Amino acid sequence: MSLAGFEETEFEFEGKRKVVYRRGSGPAVVVMHEMPGITPAVAAFGRRVADEGFTVFMPVLFGTVGKPPSLGYALNQIARACISWEFTALTRGQSSPVTVWLRALCRYAHEECGGPGVGALGMCFTGNFALSLMVDETVMAPVLSQPSLPFPLSAAHKRDLAVSDEELAVIKERVGQGCKVLGLAFSEDGMVPAERFERLRQELGEGFEGIIIDSSPGNPYGIARTAHSVVTNDLVDEEGHPTQAALHRVLSFFRERLQVD
């Protein structure tokens, strides 16, 4: 299915070919969609990033392009992803195999678009992928939006970052050299335990900027405790709303890290 306003392309690496939707011009930003797929809200976010002066590369990782979200659709795609060799939803201390292909896409995007490097934003099921992609030096602006893997089944899972010890060592080295990491989540989101952001702060120090949006009962903006998708389904694009502020921070983060005046 085509996606309005995007060019449909393909990218292949090591025999694995995927559809990639592309839009815009300027430094590259790889947008990794959430469960259950590239929904209308995810596509709208991609357009917003492109309209800010970036070339968006949005690979199709699962789901049906353009299909609106529903509980049944989401559960079906989660079940499929959990048994796919490309994803590790439950295993601690390990990045998903698909991140190898995504790193290659980042290198290709950088070659195509130039600039200091590439931005990478993952959300929900792909949230931690942006951290794993930092192993490649082309990735200069990683954003973890509601990073949900591995699923928080135990205390150890809640603190896990879905990267190996070797990858974490490289990530910390890159942070020490000046690369920054941005994270977004709602305070009551059970899929993104507070322990995960605490671990990011512990490991990355001042190199990690975490934005936690209050979704506790009685919060001043009426945000539901079930809120999960910061820049897509639960975004309220109104002046003064904390989700809009989070979106603006993502865009300014990309500008700071990727655009050359």
Side-chain angles (χ1 to χ4, degrees):
M1 179 184 294
S2 63
L3 197 61
F6 289 83
E7 175 190 2
E8 183 177 329
T9 66
E10 291 186 338
F11 177 70
E12 182 176 353
F13 178 70
E14 294 185 342
K16 301 175 182 66
R17 182 184 296 269
K18 296 182 185 296
V19 172
V20 179
Y21 287 94
R22 178 172 176 169
R23 176 186 172 104
S25 60
V29 174
V30 174
V31 174
M32 296 164 284
H33 60 82
E34 60 195 337
M35 281 291 174
I38 300 179
T39 63
V42 171
F45 172 75
R47 294 187 189 98
R48 182 68 174 269
V49 174
D51 292 347
E52 290 290 322
F54 301 97
T55 306
V56 168
F57 291 78
M58 191 157 54
V60 180
L61 303 177
F62 39 77
T64 301
V65 174
K67 183 175 180 177
S70 68
L71 179 59
Y73 177 31
L75 292 175
N76 176 268
Q77 291 304 311
I78 290 171
R80 286 173 175 267
C82 284
I83 61 174
S84 168
W85 68 269
E86 290 192 300
F87 307 103
T88 53
L90 306 176
T91 306
R92 294 186 289 111
Q94 182 178 331
S95 60
S96 289
V98 74
T99 57
V100 175
W101 183 92
L102 288 165
R103 289 172 194 153
L105 176 63
C106 288
R107 292 192 295 272
Y108 169 76
H110 186 225
E111 291 173 2
E112 282 277 300
C113 301
V118 175
L121 182 141
M123 51 183 84
C124 179
F125 201 85
T126 68
N128 290 86
F129 291 5
L131 189 68
S132 179
L133 297 189
M134 283 182 68
V135 172
D136 196 290
E137 62 182 12
T138 61
V139 178
M140 297 293 294
V143 180
L144 287 60
S145 190
Q146 71 268 9
S148 304
L149 296 189
F151 291 150
L153 303 178
S154 68
H157 282 81
K158 291 178 180 180
R159 282 181 49 81
D160 199 81
L161 302 180
V163 294
S164 68
D165 290 342
E166 293 77 14
E167 288 170 330
L168 182 57
V170 175
I171 291 163
K172 292 173 72 171
E173 181 179 359
R174 293 208 60 214
V175 168
Q177 295 168 348
C179 192
K180 305 294 184 181
V181 180
L182 179 63
L184 317 170
F186 288 102
S187 65
E188 307 305 302
D189 187 355
M191 293 301 296
V192 190
E195 292 89 338
R196 187 159 296 155
F197 272 43
E198 290 171 3
R199 174 85 183 283
L200 285 163
R201 294 188 186 95
Q202 173 189 331
E203 298 287 358
L204 306 182
E206 294 183 358
F208 176 68
E209 178 184 348
I211 298 175
I212 303 296
I213 299 170
D214 184 9
S215 58
S216 62
N219 69 81
Y221 294 93
I223 299 171
R225 291 189 64 178
T226 55
H228 175 67
S229 301
V230 178
V231 297
T232 56
N233 297 329
D234 294 299
L235 170 68
V236 178
D237 199 3
E238 297 176 356
E239 188 68 30
H241 198 278
T243 56
Q244 188 197 61
L247 171 63
H248 287 174
R249 178 58 190 131
V250 170
L251 298 175
S252 67
F253 183 69
F254 288 150
R255 287 193 294 269
E256 290 165 11
R257 302 290 300 162
L258 304 177
Q259 289 182 339
V260 178
D261 295 330

